[in-house]
Amino acid sequence: MTNFLIRLFIGKNNDATDSKTRGKYASLAGFTGIVVNLLLFALKLSLGILSASVAIVADAFNNISDAGSAIVTLIGFRLASKPVDKEHPLGHGRLEYISGFIVDALIILVGFELFKTSLDKIIHPALPTVGNITMILLIVAILVKAWLFFFYRKIGNLICSAPIKASAADSLTDVIATTLVFLSALIAKTWGVGIDGWAGIAVAVFILYTGVKSAKETIDLLLGTPPDKQFIQSIYEFCADYKKIVGIHDVMVHDYGPGRQIVSFHAEVPSHSDINAAHEEVDKLERDMHEKFGCIVTIHLDPVVVDDPLVDELRALASSCAREVHQEFTIHDFRITKGEQTYNLIFDLVMPADCTLCPADAEKAVADTIRLKNPNCFCVIRAEYPFV
């Protein structure tokens, strides 16, 4: 069914990286979610009123909140796809994340209201009246929501959309919730035992958990998360093909919404290189990376000494001493100034974000280790954390 809808509404050009096609996928997901959840709301509300089941009624309102979430997601995608303007030179892509957070907030609100309603049902119990048709239709609702979960998950993964992935997670929670409602109805029908309120409490807990978890993930995207490791590895491998560039460091990736990334880094070139030739190489790399990865690229040219045995020896010393202090420490921007009998070693020290040492202590530890092995070396170290 999912593939059929994609062929029907997306067509042959189903490249999810294309902005227009991505918008079609989002529209398909949004409209499908609205229609399906409105139908389920009408179905469950009717069943809940007829059977006097608070769990079924609450589950119905869970579906109407899902329909509202789909509308918010759809609007968020439309706003996020707006082109750049004077007030937003980097585009509106992060509006998609904001819409995802609104979806999460709606899920949490529904869970809280359902919890209160179910608690009241426990305090004032009443046995629901459940017929065979109600049982059958609840099974149908479970199967429909299960399909919607796989539908959302496929499209969310195709276009890397946080709001649609959040909708997928919510749909899976709905499957569990409606299953609990079905079991409570089955127990009431078969044994005459009313656990309607307790089933509602369980459903509310599932909904709250999903909403809070999804909200945390969306907030992380807004705050800034590390880029995909495979993407960073691809950048290093891509740059390795440019022979005039001997290395890169200080890689930064700024995420302004899906399909809107800005990448910057330092490209190391031999210090004896012709500056014009090196600059031409870096310009070519920027253009090629934009074409390859679809991101905006800014590269800083960094000259490094590569043919001086003394510099190579002291660089190796500094690098090994840094790893001796912490196995994940690395160095870059290494250079030296020579005195008559001493050397000033100047470099940046990269330390992992979870390192227990503070930057000042890390700088001192590495400098002391170097001095211990070569008393003629004095260090000027700037410690920093990686951005990737």
Side-chain angles (χ1 to χ4, degrees):
M1 183 64 176
T2 300
N3 291 332
F4 169 75
L5 290 174
I6 289 175
R7 287 194 303 269
L8 183 63
F9 291 98
I10 306 300
K12 294 181 179 179
N13 181 21
N14 55 7
D15 179 14
T17 61
D18 178 72
S19 59
K20 291 184 178 179
T21 305
R22 191 172 186 275
K24 290 182 180 180
Y25 274 111
S27 297
L28 173 61
F31 284 121
T32 302
I34 293 169
V35 172
V36 170
N37 282 299
L38 285 177
L39 291 175
L40 288 174
F41 166 73
L43 173 66
K44 290 179 183 178
L45 183 63
S46 301
L47 294 177
I49 293 173
L50 292 174
S51 61
S53 169
V54 66
I56 298 178
V57 171
D59 202 24
F61 280 97
N62 184 27
N63 286 130
I64 198 65
S65 77
D66 292 343
S69 298
I71 294 172
V72 171
T73 299
L74 196 59
I75 294 173
F77 264 98
R78 295 291 175 88
L79 292 175
S81 63
K82 290 174 59 180
V84 300
D85 54 36
K86 290 182 179 180
E87 289 76 24
H88 307 93
L90 295 171
H92 301 76
R94 285 181 176 171
L95 278 171
E96 185 175 327
Y97 299 154
I98 295 173
S99 70
F101 180 74
I102 294 173
V103 170
D104 301 330
L106 288 173
I107 293 171
I108 294 171
L109 178 62
V110 168
F112 180 70
E113 291 298 324
L114 176 53
F115 188 90
K116 289 197 304 180
T117 304
S118 300
L119 190 61
D120 183 68
K121 184 73 173 191
I122 293 173
I123 298 171
H124 306 95
L127 189 66
T129 304
V130 182
N132 291 331
I133 293 183
T134 298
M135 304 298 293
I136 293 171
L137 292 178
L138 283 175
I139 293 174
V140 171
I142 292 170
L143 294 175
V144 170
K145 266 296 184 177
W147 171 81
L148 196 59
F149 160 71
F150 289 109
F151 171 78
Y152 276 142
R153 187 177 69 170
K154 181 167 185 174
I155 292 184
N157 289 334
L158 277 173
I159 64 175
C160 298
S161 167
I164 294 179
K165 288 180 180 179
S167 296
D170 184 43
S171 295
L172 182 59
T173 303
D174 290 347
V175 170
I176 299 172
T178 308
T179 300
L180 290 174
V181 172
F182 170 79
L183 291 175
S184 71
L186 181 63
I187 291 171
K189 176 178 172 58
T190 306
W191 292 288
V193 178
I195 62 168
D196 201 40
W198 292 106
I201 290 288
V203 171
V205 170
F206 275 115
I207 293 172
L208 287 169
Y209 172 77
T210 301
V212 171
K213 180 175 179 292
S214 185
K216 179 186 178 303
E217 293 172 355
T218 306
I219 290 172
D220 285 343
L221 288 171
L222 287 168
L223 289 176
T225 56
D228 182 69
K229 290 183 178 179
Q230 187 176 355
F231 176 60
I232 298 301
Q233 183 63 31
S234 298
I235 291 176
Y236 276 88
E237 292 174 355
F238 191 81
C239 294
D241 292 334
Y242 291 76
K243 303 307 178 185
K244 294 179 182 178
I245 296 174
V246 297
I248 66 173
H249 61 265
D250 282 348
V251 179
M252 299 178 66
V253 179
H254 303 274
D255 184 358
Y256 288 90
R260 187 72 178 176
Q261 290 181 315
I262 298 177
V263 178
S264 65
F265 57 85
H266 292 205
E268 300 169 350
V269 298
S271 57
H272 58 71
S273 299
D274 178 84
I275 188 66
N276 292 318
H279 187 268
E280 184 179 3
E281 182 86 340
V282 165
D283 276 350
K284 183 178 186 303
L285 177 56
E286 287 179 341
R287 293 192 300 270
D288 292 348
M289 284 188 64
H290 177 69
E291 183 176 343
K292 170 71 175 180
F293 300 107
C295 53
I296 299 171
V297 184
T298 301
I299 303 175
H300 171 74
L301 204 62
D302 231 354
V304 294
V305 177
V306 295
D307 53 0
D308 187 319
L310 177 61
V311 173
D312 292 342
E313 177 188 344
L314 294 178
R315 182 190 293 114
L317 172 66
S319 181
S320 66
C321 289
R323 287 195 303 272
E324 189 174 319
V325 174
H326 193 294
Q327 61 180 359
E328 294 186 44
F329 279 3
T330 60
I331 69 170
H332 60 75
D333 278 339
F334 183 89
R335 62 190 186 276
I336 68 171
T337 59
K338 303 177 185 179
E340 290 185 0
Q341 297 180 345
T342 61
Y343 308 104
N344 290 323
L345 277 53
I346 307 165
F347 58 90
D348 292 346
L349 174 70
V350 182
M351 49 193 297
D354 58 356
C355 182
T356 55
L357 292 173
C358 71
D361 289 343
E363 293 168 0
K364 184 177 185 305
V366 173
D368 289 346
T369 304
I370 293 173
R371 283 290 305 277
L372 187 63
K373 295 191 175 184
N374 189 335
N376 294 325
C377 292
F378 295 86
C379 298
V380 179
I381 306 173
R382 185 177 70 90
E384 60 183 24
Y385 295 106
F387 296 100
V388 297

